[in-house]
Amino acid sequence: MTESAGAGRDAESVSKFVESFAAQLVEAGMQRMAARVFAALLASDKGVLTSAELGEQLQISPAAVSGAVRYLAQTHMVSREREPGSRRERYRVHGDQWYEALTNREAVLKRWESALREGVSSLGADTPAGRRLAETLAFFEFIEDEIAAMMERWRVHREQTFGQG
């Protein structure tokens, strides 16, 4: 039994959860292998698995694990770390991965806002396309402000609910 099933847990139930949650993530737009790897990490007791453990549990190749982890690391959903005393890497999902992933989207929003400002200027604010771009820009600026306020509320709520993390 792999660590991800955990002592006393039914491996089949864990597998069903992993595949079910992964399917939901795929439906929301995540890559299939990345969704499966993320769900397996999330379902593991320690939140940490090696490439070999992920491959064994999910019945996928080392290359599939590597590609999935690369995507998940780029989106700040997992982190890579070395096993103490070993050259092997292990992959960790943190309790605040959603917070981190959403917070790191701010840089993307800033780039989009910059491009949209340029577009409004280039196309002319009084043209139909310029007005459409200006509305899109205003939407992203609004979303950015709302996300910042929401994330602060989440930090307070998380601390009240789960204590210092």
Side-chain angles (χ1 to χ4, degrees):
M1 170 171 46
T2 64
E3 183 279 330
S4 58
R9 287 200 290 164
D10 177 41
E12 187 175 332
S13 294
V14 172
S15 180
K16 282 182 182 178
F17 164 77
V18 166
E19 296 304 327
S20 173
F21 189 58
Q24 295 299 313
L25 293 171
V26 168
E27 194 172 306
M30 187 182 278
Q31 297 173 1
R32 183 173 182 271
M33 279 303 151
R36 293 182 72 216
V37 166
F38 180 74
L41 284 165
L42 198 60
S44 71
D45 283 339
K46 292 181 181 176
V48 177
L49 295 170
T50 65
S51 179
E53 289 168 330
L54 285 163
E56 178 186 337
Q57 179 183 345
L58 300 172
Q59 296 297 294
I60 58 177
S61 71
V65 172
S66 178
V69 168
R70 185 173 33 264
Y71 170 84
L72 292 167
Q74 288 172 344
T75 57
H76 306 280
M77 302 282 291
V78 302
S79 59
R80 298 172 191 242
E81 55 190 47
R82 291 268 183 220
E83 280 191 357
S86 171
R87 296 179 69 196
R88 290 191 334 174
E89 282 191 330
R90 58 186 186 182
Y91 310 108
R92 178 180 301 276
V93 65
H94 299 278
D96 63 350
Q97 76 277 348
W98 298 112
Y99 174 86
E100 288 298 321
L102 192 55
T103 298
N104 285 299
R105 293 290 184 250
E106 287 181 64
V108 173
L109 285 176
K110 288 285 187 202
R111 288 195 304 271
W112 290 355
E113 289 170 11
S114 177
L116 288 165
R117 272 189 204 87
E118 252 182 62
V120 170
S121 177
S122 297
L123 299 173
D126 294 332
T127 67
R131 284 191 296 276
R132 189 170 46 255
L133 292 181
E135 184 176 344
T136 302
L137 171 60
F139 172 76
F140 284 129
E141 290 170 335
F142 176 82
I143 291 298
E144 187 178 11
D145 290 343
E146 290 298 308
I147 288 173
M150 180 182 63
M151 297 311 267
E152 181 55 35
R153 289 191 309 272
W154 168 247
R155 280 190 290 275
V156 170
H157 176 78
R158 182 176 187 232
E159 187 174 320
Q160 290 170 347
T161 305
F162 301 103
Q164 293 286 64

